[in-house]
Coordinates of all heavy atoms in Angstrom, one line a residue:
M14 N 142.1 -4.9 -92.6 CA 141.5 -3.9 -91.7 C 142.1 -2.6 -92.0 O 143.3 -2.4 -92.1 CB 141.8 -4.3 -90.3 CG 140.9 -3.7 -89.3 SD 141.5 -4.0 -87.6 CE 140.3 -5.1 -87.0
S15 N 141.2 -1.6 -92.1 CA 141.7 -0.3 -92.4 C 142.3 0.4 -91.2 O 142.2 -0.1 -90.1 CB 140.6 0.6 -93.0 OG 139.8 1.1 -91.9
K16 N 143.0 1.4 -91.4 CA 143.7 2.1 -90.3 C 142.6 2.6 -89.3 O 142.8 2.6 -88.1 CB 144.5 3.3 -90.9 CG 145.5 3.7 -89.9 CD 146.4 4.7 -90.6 CE 147.4 5.3 -89.6 NZ 148.2 6.4 -90.2
M17 N 141.5 3.2 -89.9 CA 140.5 3.7 -89.0 C 139.9 2.6 -88.1 O 139.7 2.8 -86.9 CB 139.4 4.4 -89.9 CG 139.9 5.7 -90.4 SD 140.6 6.8 -89.2 CE 139.1 7.3 -88.3
D18 N 139.6 1.5 -88.8 CA 139.0 0.4 -88.0 C 140.0 0.0 -86.9 O 139.6 -0.3 -85.8 CB 138.8 -0.8 -88.9 CG 137.6 -0.6 -89.8 OD1 136.8 0.3 -89.4 OD2 137.4 -1.2 -90.8
N19 N 141.2 -0.1 -87.3 CA 142.3 -0.4 -86.3 C 142.3 0.5 -85.1 O 142.3 0.1 -84.0 CB 143.6 -0.4 -87.0 CG 144.6 -1.4 -86.4 OD1 144.2 -2.0 -85.4 ND2 145.8 -1.5 -86.9
L20 N 142.2 1.8 -85.4 CA 142.2 2.8 -84.4 C 141.0 2.6 -83.5 O 141.1 2.7 -82.3 CB 142.2 4.2 -85.0 CG 143.6 4.8 -85.2 CD1 143.4 6.1 -85.9 CD2 144.2 5.0 -83.9
R21 N 139.9 2.4 -84.1 CA 138.7 2.4 -83.4 C 138.7 1.1 -82.5 O 138.3 1.2 -81.3 CB 137.5 2.3 -84.3 CG 136.2 2.6 -83.5 CD 135.0 2.3 -84.3 NE 135.1 2.7 -85.6 CZ 134.1 2.8 -86.5 NH1 132.9 2.4 -86.1 NH2 134.3 3.2 -87.7
A22 N 139.2 0.1 -83.0 CA 139.2 -1.2 -82.2 C 140.1 -1.0 -81.0 O 139.8 -1.4 -79.9 CB 139.8 -2.3 -83.1
M23 N 141.2 -0.3 -81.2 CA 142.1 0.0 -80.1 C 141.4 0.8 -79.0 O 141.5 0.6 -77.9 CB 143.4 0.7 -80.6 CG 144.6 -0.2 -80.8 SD 145.9 0.6 -81.6 CE 146.2 1.9 -80.5
R24 N 140.7 1.8 -79.5 CA 140.1 2.7 -78.6 C 139.0 2.0 -77.8 O 138.9 2.1 -76.6 CB 139.5 3.9 -79.3 CG 139.4 5.1 -78.4 CD 138.9 6.3 -79.2 NE 139.4 6.3 -80.6 CZ 138.8 7.0 -81.6 NH1 137.8 7.8 -81.3 NH2 139.3 6.9 -82.8
E25 N 138.3 1.2 -78.5 CA 137.2 0.4 -77.8 C 137.8 -0.5 -76.8 O 137.3 -0.7 -75.7 CB 136.4 -0.3 -78.8 CG 135.3 0.6 -79.3 CD 134.6 0.1 -80.6 OE1 134.8 -1.1 -80.9 OE2 133.9 0.8 -81.2
A26 N 138.9 -1.2 -77.2 CA 139.5 -2.1 -76.3 C 140.0 -1.4 -75.0 O 139.8 -1.8 -73.9 CB 140.7 -2.8 -77.0
R27 N 140.6 -0.2 -75.3 CA 141.1 0.5 -74.1 C 139.9 1.0 -73.2 O 140.0 0.9 -72.0 CB 141.8 1.8 -74.6 CG 142.9 2.1 -73.6 CD 143.6 3.4 -74.1 NE 144.5 3.2 -75.2 CZ 145.2 4.1 -75.8 NH1 145.0 5.4 -75.4 NH2 146.0 3.9 -76.7
Y28 N 138.8 1.4 -73.9 CA 137.7 1.8 -73.1 C 137.1 0.7 -72.3 O 136.8 0.8 -71.1 CB 136.6 2.3 -74.1 CG 135.4 2.8 -73.4 CD1 135.3 4.0 -72.8 CD2 134.2 2.0 -73.5 CE1 134.2 4.5 -72.2 CE2 133.1 2.5 -72.9 CZ 133.0 3.7 -72.2 OH 131.9 4.1 -71.6
A29 N 137.0 -0.5 -72.9 CA 136.4 -1.6 -72.2 C 137.3 -2.0 -71.0 O 136.8 -2.3 -69.9 CB 136.3 -2.8 -73.2
E30 N 138.6 -1.9 -71.2 CA 139.5 -2.2 -70.2 C 139.3 -1.2 -69.0 O 139.3 -1.6 -67.8 CB 140.9 -2.1 -70.7 CG 141.9 -2.9 -69.8 CD 143.3 -2.9 -70.4 OE1 143.4 -3.5 -71.5 OE2 144.2 -2.3 -69.8
A31 N 139.2 0.0 -69.3 CA 139.0 1.0 -68.3 C 137.7 0.8 -67.5 O 137.7 0.9 -66.3 CB 139.0 2.4 -68.9
Q32 N 136.7 0.4 -68.3 CA 135.4 0.1 -67.6 C 135.6 -1.1 -66.6 O 135.1 -1.1 -65.5 CB 134.4 -0.3 -68.7 CG 134.0 0.9 -69.6 CD 133.0 1.8 -68.9 OE1 131.9 1.4 -68.6 NE2 133.4 3.0 -68.7
K33 N 136.3 -2.1 -67.1 CA 136.5 -3.3 -66.3 C 137.2 -2.9 -65.1 O 136.9 -3.3 -64.0 CB 137.3 -4.3 -67.1 CG 136.6 -5.7 -67.2 CD 137.5 -6.7 -67.8 CE 137.7 -6.5 -69.3 NZ 138.8 -7.3 -69.9
R34 N 138.3 -2.1 -65.3 CA 139.1 -1.7 -64.1 C 138.3 -1.0 -63.1 O 138.4 -1.2 -61.9 CB 140.3 -0.9 -64.6 CG 141.5 -1.2 -63.8 CD 142.7 -0.4 -64.3 NE 143.0 -0.7 -65.7 CZ 143.6 0.2 -66.5 NH1 143.9 1.3 -66.1 NH2 143.8 -0.2 -67.8
S35 N 137.6 0.0 -63.6 CA 136.8 0.8 -62.6 C 135.7 0.0 -61.9 O 135.3 0.3 -60.8 CB 136.2 2.0 -63.4 OG 135.2 1.6 -64.2
A36 N 135.3 -1.0 -62.6 CA 134.2 -1.8 -62.0 C 134.9 -2.8 -61.0 O 134.3 -3.0 -59.9 CB 133.5 -2.7 -63.1
A37 N 136.1 -3.2 -61.3 CA 136.7 -4.1 -60.4 C 137.3 -3.4 -59.2 O 137.3 -4.0 -58.1 CB 137.8 -4.9 -61.2
A38 N 137.8 -2.2 -59.4 CA 138.4 -1.5 -58.3 C 137.3 -1.2 -57.3 O 136.2 -0.8 -57.6 CB 139.0 -0.2 -58.8
P39 N 137.7 -1.3 -56.0 CA 136.7 -1.0 -55.0 C 136.4 0.5 -55.0 O 137.3 1.3 -55.2 CB 137.5 -1.4 -53.7 CG 138.9 -1.4 -54.1 CD 139.0 -1.8 -55.5
A40 N 135.2 0.8 -54.9 CA 134.8 2.2 -55.0 C 135.6 3.0 -53.9 O 135.8 2.5 -52.8 CB 133.3 2.4 -54.8
K41 N 135.9 4.2 -54.2 CA 136.5 5.0 -53.2 C 135.7 5.1 -51.9 O 134.6 5.5 -51.9 CB 136.7 6.4 -53.7 CG 137.9 6.5 -54.6 CD 138.0 8.0 -55.1 CE 138.7 8.0 -56.5 NZ 138.3 9.2 -57.2
P42 N 136.3 4.6 -50.8 CA 135.5 4.6 -49.5 C 135.3 6.0 -49.0 O 134.4 6.2 -48.2 CB 136.4 3.8 -48.6 CG 137.8 4.0 -49.2 CD 137.7 4.2 -50.6
A43 N 136.0 6.9 -49.5 CA 135.9 8.3 -49.0 C 134.6 8.9 -49.4 O 133.8 8.3 -50.0 CB 137.1 9.1 -49.5
V44 N 134.5 10.2 -49.1 CA 133.3 11.0 -49.4 C 132.7 10.6 -50.7 O 133.3 10.7 -51.7 CB 133.6 12.5 -49.3 CG1 133.6 12.9 -47.9 CG2 134.9 12.8 -50.0
K45 N 131.4 10.4 -50.6 CA 130.7 10.2 -51.8 C 129.7 11.3 -52.0 O 128.8 11.5 -51.2 CB 129.8 8.9 -51.7 CG 130.0 8.0 -52.9 CD 129.1 6.8 -52.7 CE 129.4 5.7 -53.7 NZ 128.5 4.6 -53.6
A46 N 130.0 12.1 -53.0 CA 129.2 13.3 -53.2 C 127.8 12.9 -53.6 O 127.7 12.1 -54.5 CB 129.8 14.2 -54.2
P47 N 126.8 13.3 -52.9 CA 125.5 12.9 -53.2 C 124.9 13.5 -54.5 O 124.1 12.9 -55.1 CB 124.7 13.4 -52.0 CG 125.5 14.5 -51.4 CD 126.9 14.2 -51.7
V48 N 125.4 14.6 -54.8 CA 124.8 15.3 -56.0 C 125.6 15.1 -57.2 O 125.1 14.6 -58.2 CB 124.7 16.8 -55.7 CG1 123.4 17.4 -56.4 CG2 124.6 17.1 -54.2
A49 N 126.9 15.4 -57.1 CA 127.7 15.4 -58.3 C 127.8 14.0 -58.8 O 128.2 13.1 -58.1 CB 129.0 16.0 -58.0
P50 N 127.5 13.8 -60.1 CA 127.7 12.5 -60.7 C 129.2 12.3 -60.8 O 130.0 13.2 -60.9 CB 127.1 12.6 -62.1 CG 127.1 14.1 -62.4 CD 127.0 14.8 -61.0
P51 N 129.6 11.0 -60.9 CA 131.1 10.8 -61.0 C 131.6 11.5 -62.3 O 131.2 11.2 -63.4 CB 131.2 9.2 -61.1 CG 129.8 8.8 -61.5 CD 128.9 9.8 -60.9
A52 N 132.5 12.4 -62.0 CA 133.0 13.1 -63.1 C 133.7 12.2 -64.1 O 134.4 11.3 -63.8 CB 134.0 14.1 -62.6
A53 N 133.4 12.4 -65.3 CA 134.0 11.6 -66.4 C 135.5 12.0 -66.5 O 135.9 12.9 -67.2 CB 133.3 11.8 -67.7
T54 N 136.3 11.3 -65.7 CA 137.7 11.6 -65.8 C 138.3 11.2 -67.1 O 138.3 10.1 -67.4 CB 138.5 10.9 -64.6 OG1 137.7 9.8 -64.2 CG2 138.7 11.8 -63.5
T55 N 138.7 12.2 -67.8 CA 139.2 11.9 -69.1 C 140.7 11.5 -69.0 O 141.3 11.8 -68.0 CB 139.1 13.1 -70.1 OG1 139.3 14.3 -69.3 CG2 137.7 13.1 -70.6
K56 N 141.2 11.0 -70.0 CA 142.5 10.5 -70.0 C 143.5 11.6 -69.7 O 144.6 11.4 -69.1 CB 142.9 9.8 -71.4 CG 142.5 10.7 -72.6 CD 141.6 9.9 -73.5 CE 140.6 10.8 -74.2 NZ 140.4 10.6 -75.5
K57 N 143.2 12.8 -70.2 CA 144.2 13.8 -70.0 C 144.0 14.6 -68.7 O 142.9 15.1 -68.4 CB 144.0 14.8 -71.1 CG 145.2 14.8 -72.1 CD 145.2 16.1 -72.9 CE 146.0 15.9 -74.2 NZ 145.7 17.0 -75.1
A58 N 145.0 14.7 -67.9 CA 144.9 15.6 -66.8 C 145.0 17.0 -67.3 O 145.3 17.3 -68.4 CB 146.1 15.3 -65.8
S59 N 144.7 18.0 -66.4 CA 144.8 19.3 -66.8 C 146.1 19.6 -67.4 O 147.2 19.3 -66.8 CB 144.5 20.3 -65.7 OG 145.4 20.1 -64.7
P60 N 146.1 20.2 -68.6 CA 147.4 20.4 -69.3 C 148.2 21.5 -68.5 O 147.7 22.5 -68.0 CB 147.0 20.9 -70.6 CG 145.7 21.5 -70.4 CD 145.0 20.7 -69.3
E61 N 149.5 21.2 -68.5 CA 150.4 22.3 -67.9 C 150.5 23.4 -68.9 O 150.4 23.2 -70.1 CB 151.7 21.7 -67.6 CG 151.7 20.7 -66.5 CD 153.0 20.1 -66.2 OE1 154.0 20.7 -66.6 OE2 153.1 19.0 -65.6
P62 N 150.7 24.6 -68.4 CA 150.9 25.7 -69.3 C 152.1 25.4 -70.3 O 153.1 24.9 -69.9 CB 151.2 26.9 -68.4 CG 151.6 26.3 -67.1 CD 150.9 24.9 -67.0
A63 N 151.9 25.8 -71.5 CA 152.9 25.5 -72.5 C 154.2 26.2 -72.1 O 154.2 27.3 -71.5 CB 152.4 26.0 -73.8
A64 N 155.3 25.5 -72.4 CA 156.6 26.0 -72.1 C 156.8 27.4 -72.7 O 157.5 28.2 -72.2 CB 157.6 25.1 -72.5
A65 N 156.2 27.6 -73.8 CA 156.4 28.8 -74.6 C 155.9 30.0 -73.8 O 156.4 31.1 -74.0 CB 155.7 28.7 -75.9
T66 N 154.9 29.8 -73.0 CA 154.4 30.9 -72.3 C 155.1 31.1 -70.9 O 154.6 31.9 -70.1 CB 152.9 30.8 -72.0 OG1 152.7 29.6 -71.3 CG2 152.2 30.7 -73.3
E67 N 156.1 30.4 -70.7 CA 156.8 30.5 -69.4 C 157.5 31.9 -69.3 O 157.6 32.6 -70.3 CB 157.9 29.5 -69.3 CG 157.4 28.3 -68.5 CD 158.4 27.2 -68.4 OE1 159.6 27.5 -68.6 OE2 158.0 26.0 -68.3
E68 N 157.8 32.2 -68.1 CA 158.4 33.6 -68.0 C 159.7 33.7 -68.7 O 160.5 32.8 -68.8 CB 158.7 33.8 -66.5 CG 157.6 34.6 -65.8 CD 158.0 35.0 -64.4 OE1 158.8 35.9 -64.3 OE2 157.6 34.4 -63.5
L69 N 159.9 34.8 -69.3 CA 161.1 35.0 -70.1 C 162.0 35.9 -69.3 O 161.6 36.6 -68.4 CB 160.7 35.7 -71.4 CG 159.8 35.0 -72.3 CD1 159.4 35.8 -73.5 CD2 160.4 33.7 -72.8
C70 N 163.2 35.9 -69.8 CA 164.3 36.7 -69.1 C 163.9 38.1 -69.2 O 163.9 38.8 -68.2 CB 165.6 36.5 -69.8 SG 166.8 37.6 -69.4
G71 N 163.5 38.5 -70.4 CA 163.0 39.9 -70.5 C 164.0 41.0 -70.6 O 163.7 42.2 -70.6
H72 N 165.3 40.5 -70.6 CA 166.4 41.5 -70.6 C 166.3 42.3 -71.9 O 166.1 41.7 -73.0 CB 167.7 40.8 -70.5 CG 168.8 41.8 -70.5 ND1 169.5 42.2 -71.6 CD2 169.5 42.4 -69.5 CE1 170.5 43.0 -71.3 NE2 170.5 43.2 -70.0
R73 N 166.5 43.5 -71.9 CA 166.4 44.3 -73.1 C 167.8 44.7 -73.5 O 168.7 45.0 -72.7 CB 165.6 45.6 -72.9 CG 164.2 45.2 -72.6 CD 163.3 46.5 -72.6 NE 162.0 46.1 -73.0 CZ 161.3 46.7 -74.0 NH1 161.9 47.6 -74.7 NH2 160.1 46.3 -74.2
N74 N 168.0 44.6 -74.8 CA 169.3 45.1 -75.3 C 169.2 46.5 -75.8 O 168.1 47.1 -75.6 CB 169.8 44.1 -76.4 CG 169.1 44.4 -77.7 OD1 168.1 45.1 -77.8 ND2 169.5 43.7 -78.8
M75 N 170.3 47.0 -76.3 CA 170.3 48.4 -76.6 C 169.3 48.8 -77.6 O 168.8 50.0 -77.6 CB 171.7 48.8 -77.0 CG 172.7 48.8 -75.9 SD 174.4 49.2 -76.4 CE 174.8 47.7 -77.2
S76 N 168.9 48.0 -78.5 CA 168.0 48.4 -79.6 C 166.6 48.1 -79.2 O 165.7 48.1 -80.0 CB 168.4 47.7 -80.9 OG 168.5 46.3 -80.7
G77 N 166.4 47.8 -77.9 CA 165.0 47.7 -77.4 C 164.4 46.3 -77.6 O 163.2 46.1 -77.3
R78 N 165.2 45.3 -78.0 CA 164.7 44.0 -78.2 C 164.7 43.3 -76.8 O 165.4 43.6 -75.9 CB 165.6 43.2 -79.1 CG 165.5 43.8 -80.5 CD 165.8 42.6 -81.5 NE 165.8 43.1 -82.8 CZ 165.2 42.3 -83.8 NH1 164.7 41.2 -83.5 NH2 165.2 42.8 -85.0
T79 N 163.8 42.3 -76.7 CA 163.7 41.6 -75.4 C 164.3 40.2 -75.5 O 164.1 39.5 -76.5 CB 162.2 41.5 -75.0 OG1 161.7 42.8 -75.1 CG2 162.1 41.0 -73.6
C80 N 165.0 39.8 -74.5 CA 165.6 38.5 -74.5 C 164.5 37.4 -74.5 O 163.5 37.5 -73.7 CB 166.4 38.3 -73.2 SG 167.1 36.7 -73.0
T81 N 164.6 36.5 -75.4 CA 163.6 35.4 -75.5 C 163.9 34.2 -74.7 O 163.2 33.2 -74.8 CB 163.3 35.1 -76.9 OG1 164.5 34.7 -77.5 CG2 162.8 36.3 -77.7
R82 N 165.0 34.1 -74.1 CA 165.4 33.0 -73.3 C 164.5 32.9 -72.0 O 163.8 33.9 -71.7 CB 166.8 33.0 -72.8 CG 167.8 32.8 -74.0 CD 169.2 32.6 -73.4 NE 170.2 32.8 -74.4 CZ 170.7 31.8 -75.2 NH1 170.2 30.6 -75.1 NH2 171.6 32.0 -76.0
E83 N 164.5 31.7 -71.4 CA 163.6 31.6 -70.2 C 164.2 32.4 -69.1 O 165.4 32.8 -69.1 CB 163.5 30.1 -69.8 CG 164.8 29.6 -69.1 CD 165.8 29.2 -70.1 OE1 165.7 29.5 -71.3 OE2 166.8 28.5 -69.7
S84 N 163.4 32.8 -68.2 CA 163.8 33.6 -67.1 C 164.9 32.9 -66.3 O 164.9 31.7 -66.0 CB 162.6 33.8 -66.1 OG 163.1 34.6 -65.0
G85 N 166.0 33.6 -66.0 CA 167.1 33.1 -65.3 C 167.9 32.1 -66.1 O 168.4 31.1 -65.5
H86 N 167.9 32.3 -67.4 CA 168.6 31.3 -68.2 C 170.1 31.1 -67.8 O 170.7 32.1 -67.3 CB 168.5 31.6 -69.7 CG 169.0 33.0 -70.0 ND1 170.3 33.4 -70.1 CD2 168.2 34.2 -70.2 CE1 170.4 34.7 -70.4 NE2 169.2 35.2 -70.4
A87 N 170.6 29.9 -68.1 CA 172.0 29.6 -67.7 C 172.9 30.2 -68.7 O 174.1 30.5 -68.4 CB 172.2 28.1 -67.6
A88 N 172.5 30.4 -69.9 CA 173.4 30.9 -70.9 C 173.9 32.3 -70.6 O 173.1 33.1 -70.0 CB 172.7 30.9 -72.3
K89 N 175.1 32.6 -70.9 CA 175.6 33.9 -70.5 C 175.1 35.0 -71.4 O 174.9 36.1 -70.9 CB 177.2 33.9 -70.7 CG 177.8 33.2 -69.5 CD 179.3 33.3 -69.7 CE 180.0 32.2 -68.9 NZ 181.3 31.9 -69.5
S90 N 174.8 34.6 -72.6 CA 174.3 35.7 -73.5 C 172.8 35.7 -73.6 O 172.1 34.7 -73.3 CB 174.9 35.4 -74.9 OG 174.4 34.2 -75.4
H91 N 172.3 36.8 -73.8 CA 170.8 36.9 -74.0 C 170.6 36.6 -75.5 O 171.4 36.8 -76.3 CB 170.4 38.3 -73.6 CG 170.6 38.6 -72.2 ND1 169.8 38.1 -71.2 CD2 171.5 39.4 -71.6 CE1 170.2 38.5 -70.0 NE2 171.3 39.3 -70.2
R92 N 169.4 36.2 -75.7 CA 169.0 35.9 -77.1 C 167.9 36.8 -77.5 O 166.8 36.9 -76.9 CB 168.6 34.5 -77.2 CG 168.3 34.1 -78.6 CD 167.9 32.6 -78.7 NE 166.8 32.3 -77.9 CZ 166.4 31.1 -77.6 NH1 167.1 30.0 -78.0 NH2 165.3 30.9 -76.9
Y93 N 168.1 37.5 -78.6 CA 167.1 38.4 -79.1 C 166.7 37.9 -80.5 O 167.5 37.9 -81.4 CB 167.6 39.8 -79.2 CG 168.3 40.3 -77.9 CD1 169.7 40.3 -77.8 CD2 167.6 40.7 -76.8 CE1 170.3 40.7 -76.7 CE2 168.2 41.1 -75.7 CZ 169.5 41.1 -75.6 OH 170.2 41.4 -74.4
S94 N 165.5 37.4 -80.6 CA 165.2 36.9 -81.9 C 163.7 37.3 -82.3 O 163.0 37.8 -81.4 CB 165.3 35.4 -81.9 OG 164.5 34.8 -80.9
Ligands
ZN513 ZN1 168.3 36.9 -71.1

């Protein structure tokens, strides 16, 4: 079996299992939106903002560089890179 076949088989198995589970699980008793079709909930939840874009310390050193550590970093020194 090739790697691709293996991957596909795994995916299909997982998909079938998810289908089974959603079929077996009692439908949500709560509000049933009449219009909206059941959203295809994908495996991934909304991704969190990348850590790289988190707030930075922003401290500036004498040569105008900006600290690249995270805001409120524990390190005593600022990092300019
Ligand atoms: Zn800093």
Side-chain angles (χ1 to χ4, degrees):
M14 199 189 251
S15 80
K16 199 173 177 185
M17 285 310 286
D18 285 341
N19 208 357
L20 265 176
R21 194 192 318 191
M23 259 171 62
R24 206 174 324 164
E25 273 168 12
R27 211 184 278 176
Y28 179 77
E30 198 174 296
Q32 293 278 300
K33 234 188 288 167
R34 213 178 302 154
S35 68
K41 279 181 209 155
V44 279
K45 230 186 192 180
V48 213
T54 20
T55 37
K56 48 232 147 141
K57 248 198 202 166
S59 60
E61 288 179 22
T66 59
E67 264 175 25
E68 264 190 76
L69 299 175
C70 168
H72 182 269
R73 293 192 154 232
N74 75 353
M75 287 177 286
S76 52
R78 293 209 182 219
T79 309
C80 175
T81 57
R82 289 191 196 272
E83 75 278 11
S84 177
H86 55 80
K89 281 184 203 154
S90 64
H91 296 288
R92 183 177 61 194
Y93 312 99
S94 55

